Amino acid sequence: MKEALVEKYFRKGHLPHLWCPGCGNGTVLGAIVTAIDNLKLDKNDVALISGIGCSSRSSGYVDFNTANTVHGRALPIATGLKMARPDMNVVVASGDGDCSAIGGNHLIHAARRNIDLTLVVFNNSIYGMTGGQYSPLTPPGFKATTAPYLTIEPMFDILELARAAGATFTARATSYHVPLLTSLIEKGIAHKGFSIIEAVTGCPTNFGRQNKIAAPALMMAWQRDHGVMKAKWDKMTPEEREGKFPIGLLSERNDVTEYTKAYDEIIKRAQGAEA
C-alpha cells in the first residue's frame, strides 16, 4: 500500500529525502498524502504550498501543484491561489517558526478571513534547518542555540491563537499517533473554511541533541506519553494536565461564511453596479 502511494503521489527521482534519520517530517507528509488518497482527490486538483524550513521541503517531493515559497509567506501565497482557483484543494505545509514567528501575522488574518485552506503545522519546537534556534512554539525550560541557559518565554498555543482569530477547524496529533493525524488532516481538507492541524513531531538532530533526547524512539515515546485524547483531556484536573497536551479534533464550526464565497457576493455587487 505504501509503495503504491509513493508511486502515485511522489515525483520520480526525488527520493530518498534529505531529512535527518529519525525526523518526523516524512511521517507527517505521509499522513497528508494518505489523507488526500482517502478523499480520492484528483492530484491535479490539489496544491501543496510551503514556506521555508525543514518541513517546507515537503512540497518538492510530491506530484501535486506545488510551490516552495518564501519564509513566513506560504499562507498569503496560498490565499492568492485559492482566490484565483477556489475549486482547488489547497494545503499549506509550514513549520513552527515559519508560521508562528515571521508568518504569525499571516496566520492570524488567514484564520480571520476563514478562507478554505488547510494548514498543517509541522511543530518540532525548533528552527531545525538554520541551526537550532528556539521558536515561539518551543516550551520553556529547553535548550536552543539562542537559549544556551534554557528558554524562559511562554510558548504559544497556536491552535488557541488561530481559533481566537477565527479559524473554524482546529486539531492536533503527533507523528506517533499516525492514524489520528491522517484522519484529522482528511477532515481538515473536507472542512469548508480555514483549517489548522498541528502535527507535533520530533527533531532529533537539533532539538534532541541539545536537550539530551536525541534518540528518535525517545521522542516518539514522549509524544505517546504526553498527548491526551480530547475526551479524556476534558475530564482531567489542571494538575493532571500539567506538562501534557490535548490531541484530536479540538474545535469545529460551520456557521461562518467561507471567504471565497463571501467574495463572490462582492463580485456580483460590483457587476450589478456597473450594469
Side-chain angles (χ1 to χ4, degrees):
M1 176 61 178
K2 291 180 180 178
E3 290 77 6
L5 290 179
V6 170
E7 183 67 25
K8 184 175 181 181
Y9 294 110
F10 284 76
R11 292 187 171 125
K12 305 296 186 292
H14 283 63
L15 295 176
H17 59 68
L18 53 66
W19 290 313
C20 300
C23 173
N25 288 348
T27 301
V28 180
L29 179 58
I32 293 172
V33 167
T34 304
I36 289 168
D37 188 67
N38 289 345
L39 290 167
K40 296 180 169 49
L41 301 177
D42 188 320
K43 62 184 181 180
N44 293 314
D45 296 331
V46 176
L48 181 63
I49 310 299
S50 64
I52 293 295
C54 294
S55 60
S56 293
R57 299 302 294 266
S58 57
S59 61
Y61 295 115
V62 289
D63 189 23
F64 304 128
N65 302 283
T66 62
N68 184 202
T69 66
V70 290
H71 200 197
R73 314 302 182 212
L75 281 169
I77 290 169
T79 295
L81 170 59
K82 187 67 180 183
M83 293 297 293
R85 288 288 304 276
D87 57 304
M88 294 284 288
N89 298 283
V90 183
V91 179
V92 180
S94 191
D96 48 302
D98 187 49
C99 75
S100 70
I102 188 171
N105 196 44
H106 297 304
L107 169 63
I108 291 169
H109 294 294
R112 177 178 65 86
R113 294 184 179 108
N114 193 38
I115 190 163
D116 187 20
L117 304 175
T118 303
L119 169 62
V120 180
V121 180
F122 293 59
N123 179 15
N124 59 10
S125 302
I126 204 83
Y127 280 89
M129 190 180 75
T130 56
Q133 302 90 341
Y134 72 90
S135 85
L137 300 192
T138 305
F142 285 90
K143 272 192 175 184
T145 55
T146 46
Y149 305 107
L150 307 183
T151 51
I152 59 171
E153 297 175 9
M155 59 182 282
F156 274 142
D157 183 331
I158 197 167
L159 299 184
E160 280 297 297
L161 175 67
R163 185 194 60 77
T168 51
F169 182 102
T170 66
R172 179 187 291 115
T174 78
S175 56
Y176 175 85
H177 301 89
V178 179
L180 175 63
L181 177 60
T182 303
S183 172
L184 292 172
I185 295 172
E186 188 176 334
K187 290 175 182 175
I189 294 172
H191 176 80
K192 298 305 177 187
F194 186 78
S195 306
I196 175 171
I197 300 97
E198 180 184 1
V200 177
T201 186
C203 172
T205 298
N206 265 316
F207 186 85
R209 285 178 182 172
Q210 294 188 81
N211 291 285
K212 299 187 178 357
I213 46 172
L218 290 177
M219 303 197 100
M220 297 282 279
W222 185 90
Q223 294 168 27
R224 177 197 65 199
D225 296 340
H226 289 78
V228 180
M229 289 299 297
K230 176 70 161 53
K232 181 179 179 181
W233 176 266
D234 289 342
K235 299 175 183 177
M236 292 168 68
T237 65
E239 292 75 21
E240 291 171 329
R241 291 179 177 182
E242 188 68 32
K244 295 182 168 57
F245 54 88
I247 57 176
L249 176 59
L250 303 187
S251 67
E252 183 176 18
R253 52 186 300 191
N254 296 291
D255 59 336
V256 182
T257 304
E258 191 272 326
Y259 189 73
T260 63
K261 299 299 182 187
Y263 200 78
D264 283 342
E265 297 304 313
I266 292 285
I267 295 171
K268 288 176 184 176
R269 288 200 293 271
Q271 289 173 337
E274 289 175 356

